């Protein structure tokens, strides 16, 4: 089951790309795809599905639109070709764009529309725009990426997590999201406009950790991810064994059988995310760059691999970017660590731990010093279990029993509950 996103040909970044749309398996209805796109039951954010709330529409005053993903309260990642897809295209004007966090985006309240303060195109994308007669080749090289800075921070939404270290596993589940016009996977365009966020599922077929081309400077080379759109007739396995390479996507193998809610998204989505669950969390691993055909069966979606540009992205991202901003002035909420108020000189005030000293900047695991517990370590995968340096063993921190004035925990070394003021 597939869906693909398309804008007009104005957005096409590659000479190999074609106009894209959202498409589905011809034997399915749109209902589950729409449901997944807004995490409606049974697709709530969980171990099975990512949170789609940070995925929004990027819309210009000219009516051009694409998809972006919030990766910090005021930072959005998307595709560079959405803003400048050829050498002759004008430099993007930030005031012409808005980021909208609502589905359908045309029914958003003013409070759900965020003005853009700056659009930053990946330097590799800009440098390669002169290639192919001014059409550029940054999409094929894995540098089709842009950062959008918002004028104000988004409140109440957990930003998407960036990739962890390591290589994305082939054959693993990929969950996609974005906006676009509608397509029947068998018959093509339905001629139906769509302003709703749509979700879908696929399997990762290819990982290009680093594009290799000795004729191109290394700073202009990124990585790629690819999926194909399998049909229920099992005859559209474009990335299957024996099929030719596509640009820098190498030959390999792929299962011809579509998964439940199979999806594929391409250029029309313009920056739409690919999520994978890696290291105990859903993470954005790709941003839609281009595709091989018209969003019908057999279509291949190529993503810019986010991991290659993590350092570049992090240079624009503030501390505690994974925490969502709350309506309480200065307070943040971590999806695994809870509410805290970041203070000066690495001191933070937590709603149950009280004052904490955190000298590290990692948001997924850290050492902390707490007046009544001393040094302890914990992380996204283990909290509320904490390792106590002072006690030389593991503790279970009682979140409901503890307050800033006392800590209650189970000490596994002596098998008892302990309360310390």
């Amino acid at each position: 089951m597939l869906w693909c996103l398309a804008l007009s040909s104005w957005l096409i970044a590659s000479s190999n790309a074609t106009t894209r749309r959202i498409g589905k398996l011809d034997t399915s209805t749109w209902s589950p795809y729409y449901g997944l796109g807004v995490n409606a039951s049974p697709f709530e954010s969980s171990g099975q599905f990512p949170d789609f709330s940070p995925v929004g529409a990027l819309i210009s005053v000219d009516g051009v639109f694409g998809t972006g993903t919030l990766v910090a309260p005021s930072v959005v990642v998307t595709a560079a070709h959405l803003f400048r897809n050829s050498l002759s295209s004008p430099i993007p004007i930030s005031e012409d764009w808005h980021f909208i966090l609502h589905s359908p985006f045309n029914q958003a309240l003013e409070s759900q529309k965020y003005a853009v303060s700056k659009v930053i195109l990946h330097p590799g994308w800009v440098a390669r725009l002169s290639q192919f007669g001014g059409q550029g080749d940054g999409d094929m090289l894995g540098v089709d990426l842009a950062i959008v800075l918002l004028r104000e921070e988004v409140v109440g939404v957990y930003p998407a997590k960036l990739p962890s270290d390591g290589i994305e596993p082939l054959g693993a589940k990929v969950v996609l999201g974005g906006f676009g016009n509608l397509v029947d996977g068998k018959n093509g365009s339905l001629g139906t406009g769509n302003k709703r966020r749509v979700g879908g599922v696929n399997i990762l077929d290819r990982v290009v950790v680093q594009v290799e081309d000795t004729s191109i400077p290394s700073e202009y080379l990124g990585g790629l991810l690819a999926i194909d759109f399998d049909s229920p007739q099992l005859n559209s396995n474009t990335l299957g064994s024996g099929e030719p390479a596509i640009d820098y996507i190498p030959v390999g193998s792929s299962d011809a059988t579509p998964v439940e809610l199979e999806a594929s998204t391409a250029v029309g989505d313009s920056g739409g995310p690919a999520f994978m669950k890696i290291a105990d969390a859903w993470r954005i691993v790709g941003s839609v760059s281009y595709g091989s055909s018209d969003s019908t069966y057999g279509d291949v979606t190529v993503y810019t691999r986010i991991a290659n540009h993590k350092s570049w992205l992090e240079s624009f991202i503030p501390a505690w970017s994974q925490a969502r901003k709350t309506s309480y002035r200065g307070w943040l909420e971590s999806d695994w660590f809870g509410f805290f108020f970041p203070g000066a000189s690495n001191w933070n005030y937590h709603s149950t731990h009280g004052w904490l000293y955190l000298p590290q900047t990692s948001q997924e695991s850290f050492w902390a010093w707490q007046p009544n517990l001393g040094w302890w370590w914990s992380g996204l995968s283990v909290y509320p279990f904490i390792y106590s340096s002072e006690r030389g063993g593991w503790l279970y921190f009682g979140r409901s029993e503890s307050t800033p004035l006392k800590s209650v925990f189970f000490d596994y070394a002596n098998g008892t509950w302990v309360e310390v003021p």
Side-chain angles (χ1 to χ4, degrees), residues 7-329:
L7 307 182
S8 68
S9 57
W10 185 90
L11 290 176
I12 298 170
S14 167
S15 58
N16 294 323
T18 59
T19 301
R20 314 293 294 184
R21 297 174 175 83
I22 297 177
K24 69 169 181 65
L25 201 67
D26 64 293
T27 54
S28 175
T29 68
W30 283 104
S31 180
Y33 298 94
Y34 286 140
L36 176 56
V38 294
N39 290 118
S41 180
F43 306 112
E44 294 92 347
S45 174
S46 65
Q48 294 299 311
F49 300 102
D51 178 12
F52 278 94
S53 62
V55 180
L58 280 160
I59 303 179
S60 78
V61 294
D62 298 322
V64 176
F65 73 94
T67 302
T69 305
L70 198 73
V71 293
S74 62
V75 183
V76 175
V77 64
T78 186
H81 78 258
L82 173 61
F83 304 100
R84 193 177 182 201
N85 73 323
S86 70
L87 186 62
S88 61
S89 298
I91 295 174
I93 300 173
S94 58
E95 292 80 6
D96 289 348
W97 291 84
H98 278 80
F99 180 62
I100 301 179
L101 280 175
H102 185 73
S103 177
F105 62 74
N106 64 323
Q107 295 180 18
L109 302 175
E110 288 303 312
S111 61
Q112 296 167 319
K113 302 175 184 178
Y114 298 87
V116 172
S117 65
K118 192 172 185 179
V119 175
I120 304 164
L121 306 182
H122 191 283
W125 175 264
V126 177
R128 300 298 296 181
L129 282 175
S130 61
Q131 303 299 310
F132 285 91
Q135 293 302 305
D137 60 359
D139 50 354
M140 295 186 291
L141 301 180
V143 292
D144 184 7
L145 209 61
I147 290 172
V148 174
L149 303 181
L150 306 179
R151 290 191 180 278
E152 60 180 295
E153 293 181 315
V154 175
V155 176
V157 174
Y158 285 118
K161 290 179 172 59
L162 294 177
S164 59
D165 295 333
I167 300 173
E168 301 83 353
L170 288 173
K173 180 179 178 180
V174 180
V175 181
L176 322 171
F179 301 82
N181 296 330
L182 305 183
V183 164
D184 181 296
K186 179 180 179 181
N187 302 308
S189 176
L190 303 179
T192 305
N194 173 59
K195 297 176 176 62
R196 298 168 66 177
R197 187 170 57 223
V198 182
V201 181
N202 209 302
I203 297 298
L204 185 62
D205 293 315
R206 297 286 191 280
V207 178
V208 179
V209 175
Q210 180 76 34
V211 173
E212 296 183 4
D213 192 322
T214 57
S215 67
I216 299 173
S218 60
E219 60 267 31
Y220 303 152
L221 299 175
L224 302 166
L225 306 175
I227 59 176
D228 65 9
F229 179 25
D230 297 311
S231 74
Q233 293 75 31
L234 310 182
N235 59 358
S236 302
N237 193 19
T238 310
L239 294 177
S241 300
E243 297 295 335
I246 299 175
D247 300 327
Y248 290 95
I249 303 298
V251 297
S253 61
S254 171
D255 191 334
T257 305
V259 296
E260 185 177 2
L261 283 182
E262 172 139 342
S264 179
T265 166
V267 170
D269 179 37
S270 298
F275 293 108
M276 295 184 73
K277 189 176 182 183
I278 301 175
D280 297 309
W282 284 100
R283 303 172 187 277
I284 178 173
V285 297
S287 172
V288 171
S289 183
Y290 72 101
S292 65
S293 64
D294 60 356
S295 309
T296 54
Y297 295 139
D299 180 50
V300 174
T301 299
V302 181
Y303 292 87
T304 300
R305 184 172 181 258
I306 299 293
N308 293 73
H309 311 290
K310 188 175 178 181
S311 296
W312 179 67
L313 292 170
E314 288 178 335
S315 68
F316 298 94
I317 292 177
W320 301 114
S321 61
Q322 292 183 7
R324 67 178 172 185
K325 185 179 176 66
T326 73
S327 57
Y328 303 100
R329 187 176 180 85

